[in-house]
Amino acid sequence: MHMVGRIGFMGLGIALAGCLTGAPVFAGDKPAKVPVEDGSKVMITSPKDGDTVSDSFDLKYELTKGSQATHVHAYVDDEYQKGFSGALKGLSKGTHKVTVTGATKDHDPVMATHTVNIDVQ
């Protein structure tokens, strides 16, 4: 039993060391890939930079696909919006940075990115 306690403590130490160094610790963790330059372009068409919006709104963009981009990922204040389908909902009041980035079929980023700052009322 004493050995089991040591192994558990060592595992915790290894996980903590991985977190502090930024190294992936668990099989599902993978470092962010460097964006690929594939000729894609993306532009947020609505809202415009500096616009005032409600806490929920449609985020409209145009993606010109290059050789690898298939879709976009949306971020609010650098946080990935999992399941983004065109609308952002429930944003807190204040200023937020909204970014749209092109992505490949494997969800790896491409260089195409556009950011606007909005004010939620």
Side-chain angles (χ1 to χ4, degrees):
M1 186 67 175
H2 191 297
M3 183 60 111
V4 173
R6 281 189 179 170
I7 292 171
F9 186 70
M10 285 176 26
L12 179 62
I14 292 168
L16 180 59
C19 290
L20 294 175
T21 63
V25 176
F26 303 104
D29 294 344
K30 62 181 184 179
K33 294 211 175 180
V34 175
V36 175
E37 178 56 69
D38 75 333
S40 296
K41 297 187 184 323
V42 67
M43 165 113 8
I44 297 172
T45 58
S46 178
K48 301 282 188 199
D49 192 43
D51 277 358
T52 299
V53 297
S54 66
D55 66 340
S56 298
F57 60 91
D58 288 332
L59 178 63
K60 297 181 181 177
Y61 60 89
E62 292 177 3
L63 172 63
T64 303
K65 297 177 183 177
S67 62
Q68 296 185 44
T70 59
H71 64 285
V72 299
H73 289 172
Y75 300 83
V76 175
D77 300 328
D78 297 322
E79 289 187 24
Y80 177 61
Q81 302 299 295
K82 186 174 182 174
F84 171 73
S85 61
L88 295 175
K89 299 176 182 178
L91 272 62
S92 61
K93 291 185 184 222
T95 302
H96 295 280
K97 177 173 81 169
V98 177
T99 302
V100 173
T101 300
T104 69
K105 66 178 176 48
D106 295 323
H107 301 283
D108 295 329
V110 298
M111 292 292 286
T113 187
H114 188 224
T115 299
V116 296
N117 292 295
I118 55 157
D119 186 37
V120 176
Q121 293 295 313

